[in-house]
Amino acid sequence: MDTGISADLQNAKQTSYASFLKNNFRDYGMLVSLIAIMLLFQVLTGGTLLKPLNLTNLVLQNSYIVIMALGMLLVIVAGHIDLSVGSVVGFIGALAAVMMVHFGIHFIPTTIVCLLAGAAIGASQGYFVAFFRIPSFIVTLAGMLVFKGLTLALLGGQSVGPFPPAFQKLSSGFIPDFFDGESLRITSLLIGVVTAIAIVYFSTRNRAKQQAHAVETAPFGLFVLKNAILCTIVIYFSYLLATYKGLPNVLIIMSALIALYAFVTNRTTIGRRIYALGGNEKAAKLSGIKTERLTFLTFVNMGVLAALAGLIFAARLNTATPKAGLSFELDVIAACFIGGASASGGVGKVTGAVIGAFVMGVMNNGMSILGIGIDYQQVIKGLVLLAAVFLDVYNKKK
């Protein structure tokens, strides 16, 4: 009798695991995919991928893609697209170069002006999309052409630089080590440990709230395994970076933005309304949501983040070039779709977009180390994007 009950309980437990994994395939599938891709390239590159120097370069190379992916996610969730972000990156970098190099303006007021310019660009495009109902594809395609032209006009067709050393630290600087570690940046390692503890704390608190409200939660074993893997990754990566120069400044900025946007999308009214807007605009409007204003704000937000990415990219290159930002919009959009965002709107998570951005980044970096030409890199990335969207459509049909 006891054996039969035990078997039934075991079967129910297995069913709950299988059911939860099936319902949350996007979240866990993408995390597993990222880890698998990193391990694959770690083996293929003979351990070069995760060397501290290359890991630092990986963060610096993908920081602006991750930052823009946060804004693009909200635009896609709202049911739109923004093709102009790459051109905006180039334009903002050119504007910063003209202000700092040609006119000698301090980098702080320059940064403020550039962020306001990004907001204005987003507002101008969002206004046509939200209030004139012009498709975002057309509006932002026009914006892409306009800001490519303005970048060329600002720079006169030539590269402008270098930037002041203080501004360069936005992208190439590292947080100071208060313990004066020589071979190991202790401050950076401690930040990694504190971050891991914070992940466990907030995950546990969130799980308790979900259980209190009878919301589906991950089985306890899976919950523990997921947090153990995340904490191990965070601490190990922090250790690797700490053995080089420590945590880059841009990583701190990127992490703060990820936490902020995860909070906004999961915990705030405006976040829930954006998902409602993308899921069914008519229903959202009938429920009292000001859909036009919300659409407008998502584009303003995208403009600000594109401007920030433009400043970071310019600081990393230490110069503004007419070709800056070329094809960035493709990597950003691909990151969102690979991370689980739906092309039809209403679906997508911040963590998914970030994982998608790093999938693209690791692939770019790994293939470059292996000496694979840019032609085949584009082919492989295109196939990965197509596969991600195919899985999204296939899962919906099921």
Side-chain angles (χ1 to χ4, degrees), residues 229-252:
I229 291 173
L230 285 176
C231 290
T232 301
I233 291 173
V234 169
I235 294 174
Y236 180 61
F237 279 11
S238 299
Y239 170 77
L240 290 176
L241 293 173
T243 59
Y244 180 52
K245 292 184 178 180
L247 301 180
N249 293 334
V250 72
L251 179 60
I252 304 300

Side-chain angles (χ1 to χ4, degrees), residues 28 44 60 95 119 170 184 191 219 221 232 239 263 271 333 335 342 351 389:
Y28 289 88
L44 292 177
L60 297 180
L95 179 61
L170 174 66
L184 183 68
I191 290 174
T232 301
Y239 170 77
F263 175 79
I333 293 169
S342 173
T351 50
V389 177

Side-chain angles (χ1 to χ4, degrees), residues 154-174:
L154 271 176
L155 297 176
Q158 298 179 341
S159 298
V160 175
F163 289 106
F167 177 72
Q168 293 175 39
K169 289 182 180 179
L170 174 66
S171 182
S172 59
F174 297 83

Side-chain angles (χ1 to χ4, degrees), residues 280-331:
N280 191 322
E281 184 178 357
K282 289 183 178 178
K285 195 175 184 67
L286 289 172
S287 67
I289 296 174
K290 296 179 179 178
T291 55
E292 291 87 359
R293 187 175 70 177
L294 202 57
T295 298
F296 175 77
L297 290 176
T298 59
F299 277 92
V300 172
N301 174 72
M302 183 72 256
V304 172
L305 291 181
L308 177 59
L311 291 170
I312 291 171
F313 185 66
R316 181 169 178 267
L317 289 185
N318 196 23
T319 186
T321 68
K323 291 188 176 181
L326 185 65
S327 299
F328 278 13
E329 62 277 352
L330 302 181
D331 282 342

Side-chain angles (χ1 to χ4, degrees), residues 156-384:
Q158 298 179 341
S159 298
V160 175
F163 289 106
F167 177 72
Q168 293 175 39
K169 289 182 180 179
L170 174 66
S171 182
S172 59
F174 297 83
I175 64 169
D177 185 19
F178 299 106
F179 297 93
D180 296 325
E182 294 182 5
S183 59
L184 183 68
R185 310 290 178 177
I186 299 174
T187 302
S188 295
L189 181 58
L190 287 177
I191 290 174
V193 172
V194 170
T195 301
I197 294 171
I199 288 172
V200 173
Y201 170 76
F202 286 111
S203 296
T204 304
R205 194 176 73 167
N206 185 47
R207 177 182 168 83
K209 286 183 178 180
Q210 289 176 333
Q211 289 177 329
H213 293 89
V215 177
E216 182 189 31
T217 57
F220 182 72
L222 194 60
F223 171 79
V224 171
L225 178 63
K226 177 185 176 183
N227 280 276
I229 291 173
L230 285 176
C231 290
T232 301
I233 291 173
V234 169
I235 294 174
Y236 180 61
F237 279 11
S238 299
Y239 170 77
L240 290 176
L241 293 173
T243 59
Y244 180 52
K245 292 184 178 180
L247 301 180
N249 293 334
V250 72
L251 179 60
I252 304 300
I253 297 171
M254 184 175 69
S255 300
L257 287 172
I258 292 170
L260 173 63
Y261 279 82
F263 175 79
V264 168
T265 53
N266 293 324
R267 299 291 181 185
T268 65
T269 302
I270 192 170
R272 289 189 289 270
R273 286 178 175 176
I274 290 172
Y275 283 92
L277 168 64
N280 191 322
E281 184 178 357
K282 289 183 178 178
K285 195 175 184 67
L286 289 172
S287 67
I289 296 174
K290 296 179 179 178
T291 55
E292 291 87 359
R293 187 175 70 177
L294 202 57
T295 298
F296 175 77
L297 290 176
T298 59
F299 277 92
V300 172
N301 174 72
M302 183 72 256
V304 172
L305 291 181
L308 177 59
L311 291 170
I312 291 171
F313 185 66
R316 181 169 178 267
L317 289 185
N318 196 23
T319 186
T321 68
K323 291 188 176 181
L326 185 65
S327 299
F328 278 13
E329 62 277 352
L330 302 181
D331 282 342
V332 174
I333 293 169
C336 293
F337 286 140
I338 289 172
S342 173
S344 57
V347 176
K349 289 187 176 181
V350 166
T351 50
V354 173
I355 290 172
F358 276 109
V359 165
M360 295 292 289
V362 170
M363 288 174 58
N364 285 334
N365 186 267
M367 288 188 291
S368 297
I369 294 172
L370 291 173
I372 297 174
I374 190 69
D375 44 3
Y376 288 107
Q377 288 189 32
Q378 298 293 343
V379 171
I380 293 169
K381 288 194 293 183
L383 292 174
V384 170

Side-chain angles (χ1 to χ4, degrees), residues 48-115:
T48 302
L49 182 75
L50 293 183
K51 284 185 177 179
L53 174 59
N54 190 64
L55 195 61
T56 300
N57 289 333
L58 188 63
V59 171
L60 297 180
Q61 288 168 1
N62 292 281
S63 56
Y64 34 89
I65 300 297
V66 172
I67 288 170
M68 285 191 288
L70 299 174
M72 187 65 75
L73 175 72
L74 298 186
V75 172
I76 291 174
V77 166
H80 300 285
I81 200 77
D82 190 343
L83 300 177
S84 68
V85 291
S87 297
V88 173
V89 165
F91 173 74
I92 293 298
L95 179 61
V98 169
M99 292 181 68
M100 281 188 279
V101 178
H102 285 176
F103 295 101
I105 301 174
H106 193 270
F107 77 91
I108 292 179
T110 297
T111 299
I112 294 171
V113 169
C114 287
L115 293 177

